[in-house]
């Protein structure tokens, strides 16, 4: 039955969207693998929270967004930035702390920004960017614009007071904001069941008068179709939605290691989720349906790998910000 539904979903998705989803997930994966390698080599020194394993969420949601829609993100934000169309060179340069970085080398991995593509910003304060997404949606609504704002956040944000306040005002004012929870089962090293009285996060939507969905966050087609439905409805003025995407981060909370050695999660659990790799899953479908051949996949991989490798060369060659500008943009001049 499930297989039949999956087939129907596939046939309803235009081929070019499927290929685009594949390319975006792979671009994120290759960028993150390169980042892991560069952190291991002490080339990148800023703390980096890797997105490997969760690529389908950022990709599936952003595929229905327009450039003038806004995305707000978290400490684990590389994937959201890339999926919204952010420049790879500027991202890598930011991780290197270079002046050519998307935040001019002052933000690092957890404070990315690329307003020209609608990626307004990420924040390291858990749940900190959620009210900003709601504020943007309020502005869209007051100006009668058909734009949508998205707040990405982890399961750990759902025990923060600001999450409830944000959900309430969004529900009350029927704002065009989509709340996307990436439930990867852990908040740093704490299982979600030790943080939340009720771990069915999607059900909390009902309290705030909005639709709530729990979906397979490793199935990019399901993410795309659910997000599209919610985004289209928000754009028509029908109010916000909460989408809980069940997923898993392969690496540890921060950095390239796997956190298995710390005894906080098991190798079996990690292996189970690696077997549910969102990219392998779509790749198999594309091959089976004859939408891509093995050699086309190889070509896409090499092309994306080159772009990622080039971004590291660009970042390394770029200068650091001038010391004299250290206090620029820190205080507002009166
Ligand atoms: C308000 C606040 N409390 C605590 C922290 C420390 N902290 C950083 S990330 C994190 C866990 C976040 O977990 P989750 O939201 O599930 O995102 P994930 O890391 O799993 O992607 C915590 C507690 C913080 N940055 N901000
Ligand atoms: Mg989490």
């Amino acid at each position: 039955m499930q297989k039949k539904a999956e087939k129907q979903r596939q046939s309803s998705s235009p081929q070019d969207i499927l290929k685009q989803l594949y390319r975006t997930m792979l671009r994120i994966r290759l960028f993150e693998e390169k980042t892991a390698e560069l952190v291991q080599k002490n080339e990148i020194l800023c703390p980096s929270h890797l997105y490997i394993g969760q690529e389908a969420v950022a990709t599936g949601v952003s595929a229905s967004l327009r450039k003038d829609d806004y995305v707000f993100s978290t400490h684990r934000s590389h994937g959201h930035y890339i999926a919204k169309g952010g420049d790879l060179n500027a991202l890598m340069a930011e991780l290197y702390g270079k002046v050519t970085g998307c935040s001019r080398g002052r933000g690092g991995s957890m404070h990315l920004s690329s307003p020209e593509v609608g990626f307004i910003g990420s924040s390291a304060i858990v749940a900190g960017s959620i009210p900003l997404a709601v504020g943007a949606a309020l502005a869209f609504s007051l100006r009668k614009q058909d734009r949508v704002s998205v707040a990405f956040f982890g399961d750990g944000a759902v025990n923060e007071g600001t999450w409830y306040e944000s959900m309430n005002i969004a529900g009350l004012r029927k704002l065009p904001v989509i709340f996307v929870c990436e439930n990867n089962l852990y908040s740093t090293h704490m299982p979600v069941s030790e943080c939340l009285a009720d771990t069915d996060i999607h059900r909390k939507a009902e309290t705030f008068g909005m639709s709530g969905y729990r979906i397979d966050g490793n199935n990019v087609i399901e993410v795309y179709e659910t997000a599209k439905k919610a985004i289209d409805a928000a754009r028509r003025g029908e109010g916000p939605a909460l989408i809980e995407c069940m997923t898993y981060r392969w690496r540890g909370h921060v950095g390239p290691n796997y956190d298995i050695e710390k005894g906080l999660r098991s190798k079996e659990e990690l292996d189970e989720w690696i077997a549910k790799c969102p990219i392998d899953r779509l790749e198999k479908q594309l091959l089976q349906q004859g939408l891509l051949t093995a050699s086309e996949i190889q070509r896409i991989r090499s092309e994306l790998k080159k772009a990622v490798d080039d971004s590291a060369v660009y970042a390394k060659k770029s200068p650091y910000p001038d010391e004299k500008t250290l206090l620029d943009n820190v205080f507002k001049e009166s």
Side-chain angles (χ1 to χ4, degrees):
M1 196 63 193
Q2 226 177 349
K3 273 195 177 153
K4 198 175 164 203
E6 181 131 313
K7 270 204 168 145
Q8 273 168 355
R9 268 201 298 275
Q10 287 163 19
S11 61
S12 68
S13 298
Q15 302 177 356
D16 54 342
I17 292 179
L18 286 180
K19 288 190 218 172
Q20 204 48 50
L21 293 172
Y22 177 72
R23 284 180 73 93
T24 304
M25 287 198 292
L26 196 54
R27 183 180 286 115
I28 298 171
R29 172 70 56 89
L30 295 176
F31 185 90
E32 291 296 67
E33 283 175 347
K34 183 77 184 174
T35 303
E37 181 194 315
L38 294 167
V39 170
Q40 251 147 357
K41 287 185 184 159
N42 285 331
E43 286 267 327
I44 289 175
L45 298 174
C46 87
S48 300
H49 301 75
L50 300 172
Y51 197 62
I52 298 172
Q54 301 186 200
E55 296 89 346
V57 180
T59 302
V61 172
S62 293
S64 301
L65 293 176
R66 298 192 316 227
K67 208 173 186 175
D68 67 341
D69 291 329
Y70 281 175
V71 160
F72 293 81
S73 174
T74 67
H75 55 287
R76 197 176 301 288
S77 60
H78 307 174
H80 307 139
Y81 169 101
I82 295 172
K84 192 67 173 65
D87 180 69
L88 285 192
N89 287 353
L91 174 56
M92 191 60 99
E94 191 57 39
L95 304 188
Y96 270 80
K98 300 297 183 77
V99 73
T100 51
C102 60
S103 303
R104 299 184 199 155
R106 288 150 193 273
S109 166
M110 291 181 272
H111 304 98
L112 308 176
S113 182
S114 188
E116 66 284 1
V117 296
F119 183 88
I120 302 308
S122 47
S123 163
I125 308 295
V126 171
S129 57
I130 301 173
L132 306 182
V134 173
L138 178 60
F140 295 157
S141 165
L142 291 172
R143 292 174 183 157
K144 305 204 180 320
Q145 296 171 326
D146 68 341
R147 296 162 73 189
V148 172
S149 167
V150 172
F152 285 103
F153 53 88
D155 45 284
V158 181
N159 55 42
E160 296 286 345
T162 193
W163 187 84
Y164 293 85
E165 294 170 38
S166 300
M167 292 286 289
N168 183 57
I169 195 78
L172 178 70
R173 301 286 293 260
K174 293 217 168 306
L175 300 179
V177 53
I178 311 300
F179 298 91
V180 181
C181 177
E182 301 193 53
N183 186 347
N184 59 11
L185 313 182
Y186 295 90
S187 167
T188 52
H189 306 121
M190 198 165 346
V192 65
S193 56
E194 289 179 32
C195 304
L196 289 175
D198 177 1
T199 56
D200 284 340
I201 292 171
H202 63 292
R203 284 207 318 211
K204 298 177 200 294
E206 202 186 324
T207 308
F208 302 104
M210 64 179 87
S211 303
Y213 307 89
R214 173 179 270 177
I215 59 171
D216 178 352
N218 280 25
N219 181 343
V220 72
I221 299 170
E222 190 175 346
V223 177
Y224 169 73
E225 293 190 341
T226 309
K228 184 163 181 10
K229 188 160 101 182
I231 291 166
D232 289 349
R235 215 185 281 295
R236 289 193 301 266
E238 291 168 24
L242 167 66
I243 306 174
E244 179 187 11
C245 303
M246 303 308 293
T247 187
Y248 198 78
R249 62 167 156 72
W250 292 7
R251 305 293 177 120
H253 171 66
V254 59
N257 299 326
Y258 288 85
D259 272 7
I260 299 298
E261 66 294 347
K262 295 186 181 129
L264 300 161
R265 56 183 194 166
S266 68
K267 169 105 176 47
E268 291 70 36
E269 184 179 270
L270 172 63
D271 287 344
E272 252 175 55
W273 281 93
I274 288 178
K276 294 190 248 184
C277 173
I279 301 176
D280 285 354
R281 189 163 171 175
L282 182 60
E283 190 174 293
K284 270 193 206 118
Q285 289 177 13
L286 290 168
L287 285 167
Q288 270 165 12
Q289 293 175 9
L291 294 179
L292 284 177
T293 63
S295 65
E296 281 168 331
I297 284 176
Q298 212 37 54
R299 216 175 43 235
I300 293 170
R301 259 183 191 276
S302 322
E303 181 201 315
L304 296 176
K305 184 163 180 341
K306 182 170 177 333
V308 166
D309 289 346
D310 287 351
S311 76
V313 173
Y314 172 85
K316 221 175 155 171
K317 271 208 277 202
S318 294
Y320 285 107
D322 186 337
E323 222 176 293
K324 288 195 214 91
T325 67
L326 194 64
L327 296 181
D328 286 3
N329 308 314
V330 174
F331 303 104
K332 186 174 183 316
E333 305 295 338
S334 54

